[in-house]
Amino acid sequence: MTLLHVQDLALSINGTPILRDIDFSLTAGQVLGIIGESGSGKSLTAFSIMRLLPPGSLVSGRIALDGDDLGARTETQMCELRGNDIAMIFQEPMTALNPVQTIGDQVAETVRIHRQVSRAQARQIAAATLERVELPNDQFPLSRYPHELSGGQRQRVVIAMAIALRPRLLIADEPTTALDVTTQAQILLLLKKLVAQDGMSLILISHDLAVVAHTADTIVIMRQGRVVEAGDTQRVLAEMQHPYTRQLFDASGHVPVRSAMSTGREVLLKVQGVSRDYPTPRKTLLGKPGFFRALERVSFELYRGEKLGLVGESGCGKSTLTRAILGLEACQEGSISIGGDQIAAGQLMPRAVRRKMQVVFQDPYGSFNPRHKVGRLVAEPFYILDQQPRGTARRAAVSAALESVGLTADDASKYIHEFSGGQRQRIAIARALITRPELIVLDEAVSALDVSIRAQILDLLSELSADHELSYLFISHDLTVVRAVTDRILVMKDGVIVEQGTTEAVFQKPQHPYTRELIAAVPVLEPAS
Amino acid sequence: MLRHRNLVIGAVLALAFLLAAVVSLFWTPFDVAEIDIANKLKKPGDSIYLFGTDHFGRDILSMIMVGARTSIAVALVAVGIGMLFGVPLGLAAASRHGGVLDELIMRTNDLVFAFPALLIAVMITAVFGPSAINAIIAIGIFNIPVFARLTRGAALSVWQRDFILAARVAGKTATRISLEHILPNLLNLLIVQGTIQFSLGILAEAGLSYVGLGAQPPTPSWGRMLAESQTMISFAPHLALFPGFAIVLTVLGLNLFGDGLRDYFDPRIRRGSR
């Protein structure tokens, strides 16, 4: 039985066509995956179904829920439908909940909007729903506030709000993108369980083919506002009729061509017993402030020419370690030495040492001052040299750096907003390379990018490391990428390195239980036979 | 830009008064220092005097024009003082967030905030004697914490961005980062606040002159024109009307202009105001 039928859906916003010829249908009790890269129109397709579109939108085509044409409904009638028959969960659990309301009130609110029930009854339903999303009431009473919960627990509350009235259709827009890999696996499992229990249909929107491939019965692949391929998941992945599907598939598991693993044993970076404490607020008026230990005696070495991976989930101390290595914050114990220069605990890093490192950050949108031109942005690290190149030499260096990352010298006179996310990340790499540092720290450098762009950037890094003999510390939560690009990895949990070894050895024979858990949680995309 | 109605109306009003002030430097219809008792208390439009004359027979239009000059000069310099000291203090406080310097700057700020601005202005003029210069200093001092607090708050959010981290990796000092990266990202905000403080400055100057603590005679000033008209308001209401309108329209114009600028700079509000 078909629950949702979308026919010839087209959408334009202020005259700009956004979606065209969208056709798909969803059988009751099944999971439909919508896959596409950013800007493909996958979220707006979902918003079209909910009819939650920005002003200036013009929709045509037919969307029918159980034979009932949604286009014919008035806004008031749509309000009855939303939350009742169709519910939605969003990507960012940190902002999807109201921080000043308890979780019980927020779940009960959905119930009270649509059902004529008393406050007490609504709370009973809320309590039962929270149990269903595996937040047991004895551990997570209704009186908890969102800030007392972790990201995964908050996402469970968001799911509870969505399923409290047992809707017929649940739309999940990137529900696990902001979560750690082990939490992601748990949330996907929960969604599958709820679909089976309630006979609900689920639209799972994601940029990650692997996530959808394991969960969805049918998939729709979107690109530039159109459906390029649709059908049964197994069949689509086996046949891959459209070249874009193939391209997406290849990019997801992309392994860049690599130079042979470095065999040099010259230590470039040596981190010895580094600990870092952060003060926590005083518990009492006159009490001493406490300390939170973010890093606990971390020790490792990075050899010249090596690509070292550092993996761990959010809050494990990856960023703290990065900051310590870059000399942005002094550590409380231990020492860091780079190329023979040792920095002891509590010491600030001298410029001469800092000069040996550069960094690429995760967010291609936040890592540049929007008011400077690219030429100035790329040349910024020159400041750390004793003799800054000036005039023609400076311009030549900027051009060379831009060209080495696949951009042109003319791009130096543009502003950063003229570039796409992938191009910005190239500019970030150009900025990191311009002073020819010995070590580049890549802090989640490809995590915010679409798979096809990610593949290009990984290739670029691989080429650059061959040309420039680079050493890099690759920090990521994405194990697939880390496996593809690094020689050796460190696994970090709660400020401690729990395992280290060559990448292949760790992936094939993980020793520590946490490493095993991490590896097992990674959704694997295998070509269907 | 013409879509923003507030911005256009505000700009037109503010520019009209700016123009009046500039023109008064070279030319006014009559000399404001010349007393002509024969033509005293003429009604507007009665004779060659467009806005009429006051009890000394001075031309009101000329006095409004020269008064605009006084108001604008006092407010502009006062806002300038506020920005010149407030912005660097705010930047410094933000760059040492949570440190001793931050606390010192912000608590001193709180201290200045704790006193009503006009009261302190009255005290300053009581000690140093009433004059336009003292009015400027008094109003200027109270602009400092306004700009310091605004700058610090906005700067703190810019400090969180990744490009600041990149600049720190490049070894740039906090001062350099503040000037190169933080300040340019605050300009919109400061321009908007500057416009609004400017209108408040005009209001404060009028208030001080009204009680006789601002610009001294014979320099015409809107506030004092209002004060002088008080005893004659029953038979010569035009004496109060014109300076009153001048104050209201300038302040209104500058506020609309400030609001309009904020809408113009903020793309989120920009969409709504179409």
Side-chain angles (χ1 to χ4, degrees):
Chain A
M1 189 191 69
T2 307
L3 177 76
L4 179 75
H5 196 75
V6 176
Q7 247 181 319
D8 290 333
L9 174 70
L11 167 72
S12 66
I13 299 176
N14 293 326
T16 314
I18 307 284
L19 301 175
R20 266 191 292 177
D21 311 327
I22 310 279
D23 282 284
F24 60 84
S25 57
L26 173 58
T27 312
Q30 287 216 319
V31 181
L32 169 77
I34 300 183
I35 301 155
E37 297 188 302
S38 45
S40 63
K42 54 192 194 302
S43 291
L44 280 168
T45 305
F47 285 120
S48 304
I49 297 170
M50 295 286 273
R51 224 197 298 151
L52 291 172
L53 292 165
S57 304
L58 193 70
V59 187
S60 66
R62 190 180 133 91
I63 299 171
L65 184 74
D66 223 351
D68 172 11
D69 184 5
L70 298 187
R73 282 175 169 249
T74 62
E75 179 59 26
T76 323
Q77 287 170 326
M78 278 308 286
C79 283
E80 283 165 21
L81 205 73
R82 289 182 205 130
N84 207 352
D85 290 304
I86 309 178
M88 193 157 179
I89 50 185
F90 303 95
Q91 175 175 352
E92 190 49 78
M94 298 295 163
T95 52
L97 293 171
N98 183 342
V100 298
Q101 276 189 3
T102 63
I103 58 171
D105 285 344
Q106 296 190 52
V107 179
E109 188 192 12
T110 333
V111 179
R112 281 172 61 82
I113 289 171
H114 292 284
R115 298 266 199 285
Q116 297 298 319
V117 292
S118 72
R119 199 168 283 269
Q121 281 172 312
R123 290 183 73 83
Q124 260 176 15
I125 296 176
T129 315
L130 286 172
E131 288 272 358
R132 292 187 65 213
V133 297
E134 291 155 12
L135 290 177
N137 292 158
D138 48 346
Q139 285 174 51
F140 302 96
L142 299 183
S143 55
R144 283 289 178 92
Y145 283 93
H147 69 88
E148 297 172 298
L149 306 177
S150 72
Q153 288 160 354
R154 286 182 212 200
Q155 196 63 302
R156 285 170 191 269
V157 176
V158 175
I159 294 173
M161 286 168 70
I163 62 152
L165 297 169
R166 301 188 183 246
R168 286 182 285 172
L169 175 63
L170 177 65
I171 301 174
D173 189 359
E174 304 266 9
T176 59
T177 308
L179 304 176
D180 283 324
V181 55
T182 50
T183 322
Q184 162 172 292
Q186 291 161 9
I187 295 287
L188 288 174
L189 211 62
L190 172 70
L191 286 172
K192 271 197 221 176
K193 191 190 85 179
L194 293 170
V195 166
Q197 280 178 357
D198 290 4
M200 176 174 68
S201 301
L202 172 68
I203 296 181
L204 182 65
I205 297 171
S206 181
H207 68 284
D208 189 339
L209 201 54
V211 163
V212 175
H214 278 254
T215 321
D217 301 302
T218 50
I219 55 176
V220 169
I221 294 174
M222 287 187 67
R223 185 195 193 188
Q224 294 168 357
R226 286 163 183 252
V227 173
V228 297
E229 193 161 357
D232 180 68
T233 310
Q234 292 305 316
R235 189 188 60 73
V236 169
L237 290 183
E239 293 173 5
M240 298 202 213
Q241 287 177 342
H242 196 280
Y244 181 68
T245 313
R246 160 72 55 190
Q247 196 187 325
L248 207 58
F249 184 86
D250 289 344
S252 304
H254 184 75
V255 178
V257 183
R258 289 189 4 215
S259 47
M261 201 174 134
S262 82
T263 47
R265 294 282 95 172
E266 187 198 340
V267 176
L268 175 63
L269 169 73
K270 190 178 171 94
V271 175
Q272 262 179 315
V274 165
S275 299
R276 175 83 174 90
D277 297 325
Y278 286 106
T280 51
R282 289 182 174 84
K283 294 263 190 318
T284 55
L285 186 63
L286 298 172
K288 276 192 172 178
F291 285 100
F292 170 73
R293 180 148 276 205
L295 290 179
E296 171 70 42
R297 294 174 190 278
V298 169
S299 299
F300 67 89
E301 286 169 351
L302 190 156
Y303 302 106
R304 196 176 286 279
E306 190 181 35
K307 294 142 194 71
L308 180 66
L310 173 63
V311 296
E313 302 194 319
S314 46
C316 75
K318 285 179 306 204
S319 305
T320 309
L321 183 59
T322 318
R323 283 164 170 267
I325 292 171
L326 291 171
L328 296 174
E329 285 167 6
C331 45
Q332 268 80 31
E333 265 180 43
S335 68
I336 295 173
S337 54
I338 296 146
D341 298 306
Q342 192 170 12
I343 318 294
Q347 271 185 345
L348 285 175
M349 198 172 277
R351 285 162 62 88
V353 181
R354 282 191 177 203
R355 186 176 300 164
K356 297 178 181 173
M357 292 172 295
Q358 270 300 325
V359 62
V360 178
F361 298 106
Q362 171 173 7
D363 180 10
Y365 294 89
S367 9
F368 299 99
N369 187 340
R371 299 196 171 251
H372 292 172
K373 286 185 177 169
V374 168
R376 183 167 174 194
L377 292 169
V378 169
E380 181 159 51
F382 276 145
Y383 184 75
I384 206 159
L385 302 181
D386 290 329
Q387 288 289 314
Q388 284 199 52
R390 309 238 168 248
T392 3
R394 194 183 182 93
R395 279 195 294 278
V398 169
S399 304
L402 285 173
E403 276 159 12
S404 74
V405 297
L407 297 168
T408 63
D410 294 339
D411 290 330
S413 55
K414 293 184 186 161
Y415 282 99
I416 197 72
H417 65 81
E418 299 174 53
F419 296 90
S420 70
Q423 288 171 322
R424 287 177 198 218
Q425 216 57 339
R426 285 173 189 266
I427 295 171
I429 294 169
R431 172 168 70 182
L433 287 173
I434 199 159
T435 50
R436 306 203 164 264
E438 294 172 50
L439 171 66
I440 293 192
V441 178
L442 300 158
D443 188 357
E444 301 273 5
V446 296
S447 305
L449 304 175
D450 280 324
V451 282
S452 56
I453 308 293
R454 185 177 78 191
Q456 290 168 12
I457 298 288
L458 291 178
D459 281 340
L460 172 69
L461 285 173
S462 167
E463 281 164 31
L464 290 171
S465 75
D467 295 352
H468 296 250
E469 210 189 305
L470 282 179
S471 315
Y472 56 68
L473 178 61
F474 194 96
I475 299 165
S476 182
H477 70 280
D478 188 336
L479 276 81
T480 322
V481 173
V482 171
R483 186 176 192 172
V485 299
T486 60
D487 302 329
R488 218 153 52 85
I489 63 167
L490 312 167
V491 182
M492 199 167 183
K493 184 182 200 293
D494 301 332
V496 182
I497 291 179
V498 296
E499 184 159 359
Q500 54 178 308
T502 59
T503 307
E504 276 318 299
V506 171
F507 272 90
Q508 294 194 345
K509 286 207 184 92
Q511 302 297 316
H512 195 274
Y514 176 69
T515 319
R516 276 183 229 141
E517 194 189 329
L518 267 185
I519 294 172
V522 177
V524 189
L525 189 60
E526 280 155 1
S529 46
Chain B
M1 196 154 189
L2 287 173
R3 274 205 312 268
H4 300 273
R5 206 184 302 150
N6 283 357
L7 189 67
V8 175
I9 297 174
V12 167
L13 281 173
L15 280 177
F17 281 95
L18 190 67
L19 195 70
V22 171
V23 169
S24 78
L25 285 171
F26 313 104
W27 174 83
T28 50
F30 295 89
D31 187 356
V32 291
E34 200 174 299
I35 294 175
D36 180 7
I37 302 294
N39 282 321
K40 72 171 185 178
L41 294 175
K42 291 274 188 217
K43 292 270 183 292
D46 244 14
S47 51
I48 46 170
Y49 304 103
L50 192 62
F51 286 4
T53 59
D54 71 352
H55 56 296
F56 291 127
R58 291 176 297 183
D59 176 41
I60 301 274
L61 177 60
S62 307
M63 287 176 74
I64 294 281
M65 284 171 72
V66 181
R69 195 166 78 203
T70 317
S71 286
I72 288 173
V74 169
L76 205 61
V77 179
V79 172
I81 292 174
M83 279 196 174
L84 202 65
F85 292 93
V87 173
L89 283 173
L91 287 175
S95 72
R96 296 275 183 276
H97 178 46
V100 181
L101 186 69
D102 184 21
E103 287 295 322
L104 194 72
I105 292 173
M106 294 323 287
R107 296 303 75 82
T108 315
N109 248 348
D110 290 343
L111 198 71
V112 179
F113 256 137
F115 292 95
L118 280 175
L119 195 71
I120 296 291
V122 170
M123 274 169 59
I124 288 180
T125 45
V127 174
F128 299 104
S131 75
I133 301 289
N134 287 341
I136 288 174
I137 293 170
I139 301 167
I141 286 174
F142 286 94
N143 273 322
I144 295 174
V146 173
F147 282 105
R149 180 159 293 190
L150 180 81
T151 306
R152 175 178 176 271
L156 282 181
S157 74
V158 181
W159 269 100
Q160 303 301 321
R161 311 263 297 267
D162 274 350
F163 64 82
I164 301 299
L165 221 49
R168 289 176 64 197
V169 172
K172 293 194 172 172
T173 58
T175 316
R176 205 182 174 93
I177 291 175
S178 291
L179 294 178
E180 265 184 33
H181 290 293
I182 310 275
L183 188 59
N185 281 293
L186 302 183
L187 280 183
N188 296 352
L189 197 70
L190 291 174
I191 290 170
V192 171
Q193 191 65 32
T195 322
I196 289 170
Q197 290 306 119
F198 185 60
S199 78
L200 291 177
I202 287 183
L203 215 52
E205 190 274 337
L208 286 177
S209 304
Y210 182 81
V211 294
L213 300 174
Q216 292 303 299
T219 315
S221 141
W222 295 342
R224 215 184 46 258
M225 286 168 76
L226 274 180
E228 287 170 357
S229 72
Q230 218 168 357
T231 50
M232 293 168 273
I233 199 150
S234 54
F235 56 92
H238 68 278
L239 292 187
L241 226 48
F242 289 110
F245 269 133
I247 294 170
V248 169
L249 290 179
T250 319
V251 171
L252 181 74
L254 285 167
N255 274 320
L256 285 177
F257 186 58
D259 276 359
L261 272 182
R262 193 190 49 211
D263 294 354
Y264 180 71
F265 285 138
D266 190 338
R268 277 167 304 168
I269 304 176
R270 199 188 299 186
R271 196 178 300 147
S273 69
R274 264 184 200 156

